[in-house]
Structure formats: C-alpha cells, structure tokens
Amino acid sequence: MSAAESLAGAAPEPFWLQDPARPGAGPALPGALTCDLAVVGGGYSGLWTALLAKERDPSLDVVVLEAGRIGAAASGRNGGFCAASLTHGLENGLGRWPDDAHTLERLGWDNLRAIAETLTRHGIDAEWEPTGEMSVATEEWQVPALQEAAEKAYEHGWEPIMLGPEAVRAEVDSPTYLAGLWDRDAVAMVHPAKLAWGLADACRALGVRVFENTRVTALRPDARRLRLTAAAPPRRGDRAPRPLGAVTARSVALGTGAFPPILRRLRHYVVPVYDYALVTEPLTPAQRAAIGWRHRQGLGDSANQFHYYRLTADDRILWGGYDAVYHFGNGMRPGLERRPSTYATLARHFFATFPQLEGVRFTNAWGGVIDTCSRFCAFYGTAYDGRLAYAAGYTGLGVGATRFGADVMLDLLRVGLAPGEETERTRLAMVRSRPVPFPPEPLRYGVIELTRREIARADRNAGRRGLWLRTLDRMGLGFDS
C-alpha cells in the first residue's frame, strides 16, 4: 500500500475533537459585565489560570472568554505529551539559565505531580498515563547525544534508562532504532481535548463564568480597571463579527497562544508555526504484538526534524512532527491546517519506522499552530501597571508547562499574595527575562526559512551544524527543533 492509499479517506479533523465526550458549545457573552479577573483564552493557559485563581481565592469573580470552542485550538490538537520540563528540555534550560537549572527541574517535577493531583481531586478523566517518554536514535550520530543527555539528567536528579539496540527494540520494535533513552518519570500521556474539557468543567464547578464564541477585539484602560470589548463570530452572510458586549475587570490574564494578541508588544516575540499529525485506525492484537510497545511510553526520535508518536487509549498510533511550517506575515487561516504533502511525508516515515504495519490506514490527518518564540520555552510579563499579565511562547510543550505559566501570571497579578511579596517563581531569571524578538517581515520569513533548511541539512550531514546554525547558537537562539 502506498502512502497515498494509506491516507485515502482520512478525515481532515483532529482525532481528539471527534471524541463523543466532547461537550456542546457553552454560552457566549450575554452583554456587559464586571469581574475581578478576566482570562482571555479557553485553552490550557487560560483554564489553568482561572482554576488556580479560584483555588487561591474562592471569593474572586473570574470570567473566561474564548474566541471559539473550549480546547478547539492547540489544546485539542496536540500529541498529548504532558512533560515535566518547563524549559523545552534540560539542555535548553542549562544553556540559558544554568544557575537556576536545579530549581527549574524541581519546579517542573512539582508541576507535573500537581497536574496529576488536580485531575484526581476534580475527577477529570483525561486518560492520564504516567508512562514516561523514550527518545530513540535512528542514526549513529545521535547515539552519543543520547548518552550525554543521560549523564546530564542524572546530574539533575532524573534517572533515565539508557538502552542499546537490542534493549530498545525489545521495548518498541523498529528496524530504525539504534539506541534509546527512556525517562520513566518526566512525561505522562493524556487525551489533550479531554484535559481541556475537564479543566473547564472544574472551573465552572468553582463558580468561574466561561463564555465561548466570544472573541476579544479590543482592550483599553477604564479608570483603574481594564475594559475588554468582545464580538461573536460572523454568521453566514454577515460581513463582520457581531458585537456582544464588554467585560470590565480589575485584572486580565492573556493566554491566547499563537493567535494575534490584543497586546501588541507580544507580536514581536511569538510566531505561529504549523505542526501536523496523523492517527491510524486501531491496531489489531497481531499488529500490536508485531511492534511490542508494552509500556506505552511516548516516543520521539533524536533528529533536529523529529517525529513524536504515542498510543491512544484504543491502540491507535498518533504520529506527528517533522515539518514545522511558518507562513509569511504570521499567516494563520483554516486552510493552512491541511497540508497533503506533509501528510504524505509523515505516512512514508511512519512505514519506514514500522514496516511490519504495512497496510494500516490513517483515519485522521490535521494541523494546528504552535506559539513559538526564539528561546523555545515560555516567557512572561505584565502591562498596564501590573493589571495585565501574559504567558506565551510554549513552543510545543504547553500541555504541562501552561499550568506553571498560569501560576506565574497569578503571581505577577498578586492573586493571593501579600503586598510586595515575591515568589520563588517570580525570582527566576527565566521569568524576569525575555526572548530575542523576531525581526519584521520580510526578514522574519527569510530567517525562519533559512533556519529550517539548515536544520534539515544538519540532519543529512550527520548532525553537523553549518555556519548559520552555529551563529544562532552563539547568539543564544538555539534553533534545534
């Protein structure tokens, strides 16, 4: 069966969002209202912020404003890897904030454990599987890098298992595997959309008002408060969105990810990068036996252009990554979520990795945007004299790190804190610093495209990074995935 044949009939929709458990749309903003805290964005970032705010101070009046449906954007389209890392991997954190490395690793582990505890406390069925993640080497040049990563992980309190060719193939059987590094504690698998829906239900149970199909179109100061103007998506035949009303809040938290921010300064730091994924039909018992994978850990290869993949609850394989596509002018539109050429590439790579699964078909193929910044992990800040806080730039690791980012935003907004009180989080250099901004167009597009080509060339050249990538490394930009 060809790659094209394996994709025939694949629905161009995220697998997770087709789940029968998906709730119906909630109400839109009914008009003008006031609150203590307005949260813009109904994905992980916004929902964690709303939930943690109510847990810190149950008396707060909290409102969530979501432009579309809860979890319909990045939070319902990702691979479901909930990682402890707050810095897009230990190496990235060590390279940027070596003095805080141990603290960041500890806080990341505490954050992952707190997510699991929250799911239990609020009865959220997000198909949580603390299986860990295994990085695999598929080229000889990647093996020493895995060994070095294992040594660094041990130095910082983690205990991954280094596996040779036979041992790694005993875990998951692929003829491409030369070695593996299995960290059993640092990652859990989740159903990403169910996580978002469950967080929204927990918010509502604590009294948070959640409004869907409510796009914030403007933000301005209003005396000692902030005023958010909102509109509904246009109906068929309408030329413009329909005004809904306004929310006047004492504080605002922005969790809009890759979408055009209402705070203009963020446009210099975040670019939307499209990522794509496939999901297979459920594997038969014989097909499962052919690949092993008894421990159901998440997987990722060690190339710069890497794949990530995992099993779903009903034994499908989600297979994503490799292509990361930026469109000129921060381009974002529904048509860009579909990319048949990338689907075909992913399918070919899938069968090269698992030739024993020849004949398996894909049921879903989709894309979505990642909020990418130049340091590959989130950054934070405030505006309007501390009345607004933001967190953005998670670069694909937001399933877990958004909860930490929510706590940072609430710290910056002084929710539940005494006057002048600092926290361990707000003292971090990571929280106090900003990434290098992206240049304006057309230079922005040129730089990103050149970097993509050079990353691909490094993979073809046994990992050796050319002059351009070495220059970026010296500048601390670290484009490596």
Side-chain angles (χ1 to χ4, degrees):
M1 180 187 295
S2 68
E5 290 172 326
S6 70
L7 289 161
E13 303 293 338
F15 166 73
W16 309 114
L17 296 178
Q18 292 185 328
D19 196 293
R22 187 179 190 183
L29 183 70
L33 56 84
T34 61
C35 64
D36 296 315
L37 172 65
V39 179
V40 184
Y44 297 143
S45 186
L47 294 170
W48 277 118
T49 303
L51 182 64
L52 294 175
K54 289 294 286 186
E55 290 183 341
R56 288 188 184 200
D57 184 352
S59 70
L60 284 180
D61 184 8
V62 181
V63 167
V64 173
L65 305 172
E66 163 55 37
R69 297 281 301 280
I70 292 294
S75 297
R77 295 170 180 266
N78 63 82
F81 286 63
C82 188
S85 178
L86 306 175
T87 59
H88 210 283
L90 176 58
E91 185 173 357
N92 191 47
L94 281 172
R96 299 182 189 283
W97 307 288
D99 294 341
D100 287 341
H102 283 283
T103 301
L104 287 166
E105 291 300 299
R106 173 177 53 78
L107 289 173
W109 166 243
D110 290 345
N111 184 66
L112 184 65
R113 182 172 54 195
I115 293 173
E117 291 172 349
T118 299
L119 301 187
T120 300
R121 186 167 66 255
H122 290 281
I124 297 172
D125 177 15
E127 299 177 7
W128 180 265
E129 291 187 89
T131 58
E133 180 179 15
M134 188 163 70
S135 299
V136 296
T138 57
E139 301 283 350
E140 288 289 350
W141 62 268
Q142 298 167 7
V143 177
L146 283 186
Q147 294 169 335
E148 183 180 349
E151 293 170 2
K152 290 181 179 177
Y154 270 100
E155 291 172 6
H156 288 81
W158 299 99
E159 297 181 352
I161 302 172
M162 187 72 196
L163 304 172
E166 292 184 6
V168 71
R169 291 191 61 177
E171 284 295 327
V172 183
D173 192 6
S174 169
T176 66
Y177 293 174
L178 304 178
L181 183 63
W182 181 16
D183 193 328
R184 295 170 296 177
D185 303 313
V187 179
M189 298 294 105
V190 298
H191 185 306
K194 283 187 175 180
L195 175 58
W197 301 334
L199 289 174
D201 286 342
C203 286
R204 295 185 184 102
L206 295 181
V208 176
R209 291 178 285 176
V210 179
F211 299 109
E212 298 182 66
N213 293 309
T214 300
R215 181 180 299 278
V216 174
T217 57
L219 165 68
R220 65 176 178 82
D222 185 0
R224 300 185 65 181
R225 291 176 171 257
L226 296 174
R227 181 178 175 85
L228 300 163
T229 305
R235 295 193 183 106
R236 182 176 298 179
D238 290 349
R239 293 186 177 181
R242 295 174 291 111
L244 288 174
V247 175
T248 303
R250 189 175 64 194
S251 301
V252 171
L254 290 186
T256 50
F259 289 88
I262 55 175
L263 187 65
R264 293 185 62 86
R265 72 180 67 168
L266 296 182
R267 300 179 187 186
H268 303 297
Y269 296 104
V270 177
V271 296
V273 173
Y274 278 82
D275 182 49
Y276 299 90
L278 311 175
V279 160
T280 70
E281 62 193 347
L283 302 184
T284 66
Q287 289 166 335
R288 272 300 311 276
I291 59 174
W293 214 340
R294 293 176 296 109
H295 292 110
R296 299 180 59 84
Q297 60 268 65
L299 289 168
D301 62 56
S302 302
N304 292 303
Q305 287 186 289
F306 65 92
H307 306 85
Y308 57 85
Y309 39 117
R310 50 80 56 97
L311 291 166
T312 66
D314 58 351
D315 281 345
R316 302 168 188 262
I317 297 177
L318 180 145
W319 178 268
Y322 190 75
D323 267 349
V325 183
Y326 171 75
H327 297 276
F328 185 85
N330 284 15
M332 289 180 64
R333 55 186 183 274
L336 299 179
E337 296 170 2
R338 303 180 184 184
R339 190 174 170 86
S341 62
T342 293
Y343 301 155
T345 297
L346 287 172
R348 289 195 300 272
H349 293 175
F350 176 88
F351 290 114
T353 302
F354 296 124
Q356 63 269 51
L357 296 183
E358 174 68 26
V360 167
R361 293 182 178 273
F362 297 99
T363 62
N364 295 76
W366 73 93
V369 289
I370 294 171
D371 59 329
T372 300
C373 74
S374 63
R375 73 185 195 184
F376 276 73
C377 60
F379 63 96
Y380 318 89
T382 61
Y384 294 99
D385 297 322
R387 286 173 289 172
L388 179 146
Y390 58 81
Y394 289 96
T395 317
L397 239 67
V399 181
T402 44
R403 184 193 175 279
F404 177 83
D407 260 332
V408 171
M409 284 195 283
L410 293 173
D411 288 350
L412 295 173
L413 293 172
R414 322 297 308 154
V415 175
L417 301 181
E421 181 182 354
E422 285 189 336
T423 69
E424 186 176 34
R425 289 179 289 265
T426 57
R427 288 192 294 268
L428 291 167
M430 182 180 76
V431 171
R432 294 178 177 272
S433 61
R434 301 286 180 274
V436 175
F438 290 98
E441 297 288 18
L443 188 57
R444 174 178 297 194
Y445 180 80
V447 166
I448 293 173
E449 282 301 296
L450 174 60
T451 303
R452 289 184 69 234
R453 289 197 296 270
E454 289 299 301
I455 285 172
R457 189 162 73 119
D459 281 337
R460 295 191 300 269
N461 197 27
R464 289 187 288 272
R465 297 166 78 81
L467 177 61
W468 176 249
L469 293 183
R470 294 199 306 271
T471 300
L472 294 180
D473 291 340
R474 285 194 296 270
M475 294 171 62
L477 298 181
F479 284 94
D480 61 355
S481 60

PDB file of all heavy atoms in Angstrom, residues 331-346:
ATOM      1  N   GLY A 331       1.119  34.225   8.948  1.00  0.00           N
ATOM      2  CA  GLY A 331      -0.109  33.742   8.325  1.00  0.00           C
ATOM      3  C   GLY A 331      -0.825  32.686   9.141  1.00  0.00           C
ATOM      4  O   GLY A 331      -0.216  31.710   9.596  1.00  0.00           O
ATOM      5  N   MET A 332      -2.126  32.895   9.343  1.00  0.00           N
ATOM      6  CA  MET A 332      -2.987  31.939  10.036  1.00  0.00           C
ATOM      7  C   MET A 332      -4.359  31.964   9.382  1.00  0.00           C
ATOM      8  O   MET A 332      -4.995  33.010   9.299  1.00  0.00           O
ATOM      9  CB  MET A 332      -3.129  32.292  11.526  1.00  0.00           C
ATOM     10  CG  MET A 332      -1.892  32.066  12.357  1.00  0.00           C
ATOM     11  SD  MET A 332      -2.179  32.506  14.100  1.00  0.00           S
ATOM     12  CE  MET A 332      -3.442  31.305  14.540  1.00  0.00           C
ATOM     13  N   ARG A 333      -4.798  30.814   8.915  1.00  0.00           N
ATOM     14  CA  ARG A 333      -6.142  30.671   8.370  1.00  0.00           C
ATOM     15  C   ARG A 333      -6.491  29.187   8.318  1.00  0.00           C
ATOM     16  O   ARG A 333      -5.597  28.338   8.284  1.00  0.00           O
ATOM     17  CB  ARG A 333      -6.261  31.314   6.987  1.00  0.00           C
ATOM     18  CG  ARG A 333      -5.271  30.831   5.965  1.00  0.00           C
ATOM     19  CD  ARG A 333      -5.388  31.635   4.678  1.00  0.00           C
ATOM     20  NE  ARG A 333      -4.484  31.145   3.649  1.00  0.00           N
ATOM     21  CZ  ARG A 333      -3.216  31.519   3.532  1.00  0.00           C
ATOM     22  NH1 ARG A 333      -2.711  32.420   4.382  1.00  0.00           N
ATOM     23  NH2 ARG A 333      -2.466  31.013   2.576  1.00  0.00           N
ATOM     24  N   PRO A 334      -7.778  28.848   8.305  1.00  0.00           N
ATOM     25  CA  PRO A 334      -8.173  27.430   8.385  1.00  0.00           C
ATOM     26  C   PRO A 334      -7.555  26.567   7.294  1.00  0.00           C
ATOM     27  O   PRO A 334      -7.204  25.403   7.546  1.00  0.00           O
ATOM     28  CB  PRO A 334      -9.702  27.498   8.269  1.00  0.00           C
ATOM     29  CG  PRO A 334     -10.060  28.824   8.828  1.00  0.00           C
ATOM     30  CD  PRO A 334      -8.947  29.744   8.417  1.00  0.00           C
ATOM     31  N   GLY A 335      -7.387  27.115   6.096  1.00  0.00           N
ATOM     32  CA  GLY A 335      -6.845  26.311   5.013  1.00  0.00           C
ATOM     33  C   GLY A 335      -5.443  25.805   5.274  1.00  0.00           C
ATOM     34  O   GLY A 335      -5.033  24.764   4.715  1.00  0.00           O
ATOM     35  N   LEU A 336      -4.689  26.490   6.123  1.00  0.00           N
ATOM     36  CA  LEU A 336      -3.317  26.081   6.406  1.00  0.00           C
ATOM     37  C   LEU A 336      -3.247  24.883   7.348  1.00  0.00           C
ATOM     38  O   LEU A 336      -2.170  24.301   7.530  1.00  0.00           O
ATOM     39  CB  LEU A 336      -2.538  27.247   7.009  1.00  0.00           C
ATOM     40  CG  LEU A 336      -2.422  28.500   6.120  1.00  0.00           C
ATOM     41  CD1 LEU A 336      -1.653  29.596   6.837  1.00  0.00           C
ATOM     42  CD2 LEU A 336      -1.760  28.153   4.790  1.00  0.00           C
ATOM     43  N   GLU A 337      -4.382  24.513   7.940  1.00  0.00           N
ATOM     44  CA  GLU A 337      -4.405  23.341   8.807  1.00  0.00           C
ATOM     45  C   GLU A 337      -4.344  22.044   8.007  1.00  0.00           C
ATOM     46  O   GLU A 337      -4.169  20.961   8.579  1.00  0.00           O
ATOM     47  CB  GLU A 337      -5.667  23.353   9.673  1.00  0.00           C
ATOM     48  CG  GLU A 337      -5.711  24.535  10.638  1.00  0.00           C
ATOM     49  CD  GLU A 337      -7.045  24.698  11.320  1.00  0.00           C
ATOM     50  OE1 GLU A 337      -7.945  23.847  11.075  1.00  0.00           O
ATOM     51  OE2 GLU A 337      -7.215  25.661  12.083  1.00  0.00           O
ATOM     52  N   ARG A 338      -4.497  22.135   6.698  1.00  0.00           N
ATOM     53  CA  ARG A 338      -4.449  20.949   5.838  1.00  0.00           C
ATOM     54  C   ARG A 338      -3.244  21.076   4.903  1.00  0.00           C
ATOM     55  O   ARG A 338      -3.104  22.067   4.191  1.00  0.00           O
ATOM     56  CB  ARG A 338      -5.741  20.824   5.026  1.00  0.00           C
ATOM     57  CG  ARG A 338      -6.982  20.758   5.908  1.00  0.00           C
ATOM     58  CD  ARG A 338      -8.256  20.629   5.112  1.00  0.00           C
ATOM     59  NE  ARG A 338      -9.423  20.656   5.979  1.00  0.00           N
ATOM     60  CZ  ARG A 338     -10.677  20.489   5.561  1.00  0.00           C
ATOM     61  NH1 ARG A 338     -10.912  20.294   4.265  1.00  0.00           N
ATOM     62  NH2 ARG A 338     -11.673  20.523   6.426  1.00  0.00           N
ATOM     63  N   ARG A 339      -2.416  20.060   4.885  1.00  0.00           N
ATOM     64  CA  ARG A 339      -1.195  20.089   4.088  1.00  0.00           C
ATOM     65  C   ARG A 339      -0.913  18.676   3.558  1.00  0.00           C
ATOM     66  O   ARG A 339      -0.151  17.898   4.151  1.00  0.00           O
ATOM     67  CB  ARG A 339      -0.032  20.608   4.938  1.00  0.00           C
ATOM     68  CG  ARG A 339       1.235  20.920   4.158  1.00  0.00           C
ATOM     69  CD  ARG A 339       2.268  21.558   5.077  1.00  0.00           C
ATOM     70  NE  ARG A 339       3.578  21.673   4.470  1.00  0.00           N
ATOM     71  CZ  ARG A 339       3.971  22.680   3.700  1.00  0.00           C
ATOM     72  NH1 ARG A 339       3.136  23.675   3.448  1.00  0.00           N
ATOM     73  NH2 ARG A 339       5.196  22.694   3.197  1.00  0.00           N
ATOM     74  N   PRO A 340      -1.523  18.299   2.439  1.00  0.00           N
ATOM     75  CA  PRO A 340      -1.396  16.931   1.925  1.00  0.00           C
ATOM     76  C   PRO A 340       0.039  16.487   1.701  1.00  0.00           C
ATOM     77  O   PRO A 340       0.365  15.311   1.921  1.00  0.00           O
ATOM     78  CB  PRO A 340      -2.184  16.982   0.600  1.00  0.00           C
ATOM     79  CG  PRO A 340      -3.199  18.061   0.816  1.00  0.00           C
ATOM     80  CD  PRO A 340      -2.495  19.093   1.657  1.00  0.00           C
ATOM     81  N   SER A 341       0.929  17.401   1.285  1.00  0.00           N
ATOM     82  CA  SER A 341       2.316  16.993   1.058  1.00  0.00           C
ATOM     83  C   SER A 341       2.977  16.556   2.361  1.00  0.00           C
ATOM     84  O   SER A 341       3.758  15.588   2.384  1.00  0.00           O
ATOM     85  CB  SER A 341       3.100  18.142   0.420  1.00  0.00           C
ATOM     86  OG  SER A 341       3.139  19.275   1.277  1.00  0.00           O
ATOM     87  N   THR A 342       2.674  17.252   3.451  1.00  0.00           N
ATOM     88  CA  THR A 342       3.226  16.848   4.748  1.00  0.00           C
ATOM     89  C   THR A 342       2.609  15.546   5.215  1.00  0.00           C
ATOM     90  O   THR A 342       3.309  14.673   5.761  1.00  0.00           O
ATOM     91  CB  THR A 342       3.004  17.956   5.792  1.00  0.00           C
ATOM     92  OG1 THR A 342       3.785  19.096   5.432  1.00  0.00           O
ATOM     93  CG2 THR A 342       3.403  17.499   7.186  1.00  0.00           C
ATOM     94  N   TYR A 343       1.310  15.360   5.015  1.00  0.00           N
ATOM     95  CA  TYR A 343       0.679  14.096   5.386  1.00  0.00           C
ATOM     96  C   TYR A 343       1.371  12.928   4.680  1.00  0.00           C
ATOM     97  O   TYR A 343       1.628  11.883   5.284  1.00  0.00           O
ATOM     98  CB  TYR A 343      -0.800  14.092   5.023  1.00  0.00           C
ATOM     99  CG  TYR A 343      -1.638  15.168   5.662  1.00  0.00           C
ATOM    100  CD1 TYR A 343      -2.816  15.597   5.056  1.00  0.00           C
ATOM    101  CD2 TYR A 343      -1.283  15.758   6.869  1.00  0.00           C
ATOM    102  CE1 TYR A 343      -3.606  16.576   5.624  1.00  0.00           C
ATOM    103  CE2 TYR A 343      -2.065  16.743   7.446  1.00  0.00           C
ATOM    104  CZ  TYR A 343      -3.233  17.153   6.817  1.00  0.00           C
ATOM    105  OH  TYR A 343      -4.016  18.130   7.377  1.00  0.00           O
ATOM    106  N   ALA A 344       1.658  13.103   3.388  1.00  0.00           N
ATOM    107  CA  ALA A 344       2.304  12.032   2.626  1.00  0.00           C
ATOM    108  C   ALA A 344       3.708  11.754   3.162  1.00  0.00           C
ATOM    109  O   ALA A 344       4.124  10.594   3.279  1.00  0.00           O
ATOM    110  CB  ALA A 344       2.353  12.401   1.149  1.00  0.00           C
ATOM    111  N   THR A 345       4.447  12.811   3.506  1.00  0.00           N
ATOM    112  CA  THR A 345       5.783  12.638   4.080  1.00  0.00           C
ATOM    113  C   THR A 345       5.707  11.891   5.407  1.00  0.00           C
ATOM    114  O   THR A 345       6.469  10.951   5.658  1.00  0.00           O
ATOM    115  CB  THR A 345       6.460  14.004   4.288  1.00  0.00           C
ATOM    116  OG1 THR A 345       6.634  14.639   3.017  1.00  0.00           O
ATOM    117  CG2 THR A 345       7.806  13.850   4.964  1.00  0.00           C
ATOM    118  N   LEU A 346       4.781  12.312   6.255  1.00  0.00           N
ATOM    119  CA  LEU A 346       4.625  11.641   7.539  1.00  0.00           C
ATOM    120  C   LEU A 346       4.267  10.170   7.360  1.00  0.00           C
ATOM    121  O   LEU A 346       4.775   9.297   8.078  1.00  0.00           O
ATOM    122  CB  LEU A 346       3.561  12.345   8.375  1.00  0.00           C
ATOM    123  CG  LEU A 346       3.936  13.696   8.975  1.00  0.00           C
ATOM    124  CD1 LEU A 346       2.724  14.357   9.620  1.00  0.00           C
ATOM    125  CD2 LEU A 346       5.061  13.547  10.004  1.00  0.00           C
TER     126      LEU A 346
END
